[in-house]
Amino acid sequence: IVTLAMDLYFKGLSLRDISDTLFQFYNLRVHFDTIRRWISKYTQIMDDYTKDFKPELSDKWHIDEQMIKSKKDYIWCWNVLDSETRFLIANNVTRGREIKDARAVLKIAKENIKENPKEIVTDGLWSYNKAIRKEFVTKRTSPNAVLHSRNAGIAKKLLNNNMVERYHNEFREFDKVRRGFKSDETAQQWSDAFRLYHNFIKKHMALNGTTPSQVAEINIDLGRNRWLSLLKQSLNHPNTTKKEGILK
């Protein structure tokens, strides 16, 4: 029931709609806030568990930022996506689009992957240019140089950011039911949870019906109910049981 609630939530149903569905089909009266707590608690446990995996990625990153709503304000969610696997490497919520904001998501990506790309594709936002120069070696004479491909556009065939724009569309479908987030912290929490869903649960047509984690050669058997299998593995992991105080 818990994993069904999570699946319905990330596929776009509201908490109240999920509560109504559980009552209609299972005769279970579950308050919508209980469902929210389920999702918040268990996605955090699964996210902590999956951070230990080392995905096999390409050497090309796509980065873009999207506007989301927090209370009555609009903030920015930055996303870093691998070119071949569509694995979401990093995401971060900020108030602005300054150099420090662009650097923040790059630092998270570097920490998550431990390897630098050879190419980073962005749009024309000026913050990217200086942020990449501060976080990576960009001199072409260096063997570790990172090529910054700027001014990517949707209509451009050779240089575009379409795959990260596709991810933004996925998130917008999820976000529009929420009608914005209550705080910046809540926005970060749910964008982290959606990254987990995108990487490990959702099967993508562009990846021939597989998940980004499968293409990235993260070899965990999740079976038919991917939520339930991932949750069980997370709860049985020694670090998780110790941290959460869970008895096997």
Side-chain angles (χ1 to χ4, degrees):
I1 294 298
V2 170
T3 57
L4 173 62
M6 286 192 283
D7 198 58
L8 293 174
Y9 185 73
F10 288 102
K11 286 179 176 175
L13 269 70
S14 69
L15 294 170
R16 287 176 173 80
D17 284 342
I18 296 170
S19 178
D20 181 62
T21 298
L22 295 181
F23 178 67
Q24 283 192 65
F25 290 90
Y26 295 94
N27 197 30
L28 292 174
R29 291 189 179 276
V30 184
H31 193 272
F32 67 87
D33 198 52
T34 299
I35 296 171
R36 181 194 60 78
R37 291 196 300 270
W38 284 351
I39 300 169
S40 177
K41 176 181 179 179
Y42 291 118
T43 53
Q44 182 61 62
I45 290 173
M46 287 184 281
D47 189 45
D48 289 342
Y49 170 63
T50 56
K51 285 178 181 177
D52 292 336
F53 294 120
K54 180 71 170 62
E56 294 294 328
L57 305 178
S58 70
D59 55 11
K60 183 178 180 180
W61 294 356
H62 292 262
I63 305 178
D64 199 11
E65 74 288 348
Q66 67 177 144
M67 186 182 290
I68 59 177
K69 194 172 184 180
S70 174
K71 288 188 177 180
K72 295 182 180 180
D73 299 326
Y74 283 98
I75 59 177
W76 298 95
C77 182
W78 305 71
N79 297 294
V80 183
L81 204 72
D82 178 59
S83 182
E84 291 185 7
T85 65
R86 296 179 183 247
F87 193 89
L88 187 61
I89 299 169
N91 59 291
N92 192 46
V93 169
T94 67
R95 278 273 156 182
R97 290 197 298 170
E98 306 300 322
I99 297 171
K100 62 181 179 65
D101 303 311
R103 289 188 70 180
V105 75
L106 290 172
K107 288 179 179 179
I108 295 171
K110 288 165 62 178
E111 178 63 26
N112 289 347
I113 302 303
K114 311 296 186 189
E115 293 181 4
N116 291 344
K118 291 184 178 179
E119 182 181 3
I120 297 177
V121 180
T122 73
D123 60 19
L125 180 67
W126 63 272
S127 300
Y128 286 121
N129 192 38
K130 292 188 177 181
I132 290 172
R133 288 198 327 227
K134 288 180 178 292
E135 292 298 325
F136 299 96
V137 176
T138 56
K139 291 182 180 180
R140 296 187 180 182
T141 55
S142 171
N144 298 319
V146 174
L147 173 65
H148 179 199
S149 299
R150 300 184 61 195
N151 298 316
I154 295 176
K156 296 181 180 179
K157 292 183 179 180
L158 298 178
L159 182 62
N160 62 68
N161 246 355
N162 291 354
M163 65 173 59
V164 71
E165 290 291 351
R166 178 69 185 92
Y167 173 77
H168 287 172
N169 289 337
E170 291 177 21
F171 190 84
R172 287 188 189 99
E173 288 296 314
F174 166 75
D175 179 34
K176 72 179 181 181
V177 179
R178 318 278 89 80
R179 298 179 182 177
F181 300 99
K182 293 183 178 179
S183 67
D184 295 7
E185 291 75 18
T186 302
Q188 182 67 63
Q189 177 188 4
W190 288 117
S191 63
D192 289 346
F194 196 82
R195 184 190 69 237
L196 175 79
Y197 170 68
H198 170 87
N199 283 342
F200 290 89
I201 305 299
K202 180 179 173 61
K203 291 187 175 182
H204 298 257
M205 291 179 60
L207 299 176
N208 297 319
T210 59
T211 65
S213 61
Q214 288 176 306
V215 181
E217 299 184 17
I218 296 178
N219 296 317
I220 52 174
D221 183 13
L222 296 184
R224 185 177 63 180
N225 187 336
R226 295 182 293 283
W227 280 116
L228 184 59
S229 298
L230 185 57
L231 180 56
K232 284 182 176 180
Q233 292 182 38
S234 303
L235 291 172
N236 285 323
H237 193 268
N239 291 341
T240 304
T241 54
K242 181 179 180 181
K243 177 181 176 181
E244 300 294 330
I246 298 169
L247 297 176
K248 290 186 179 181

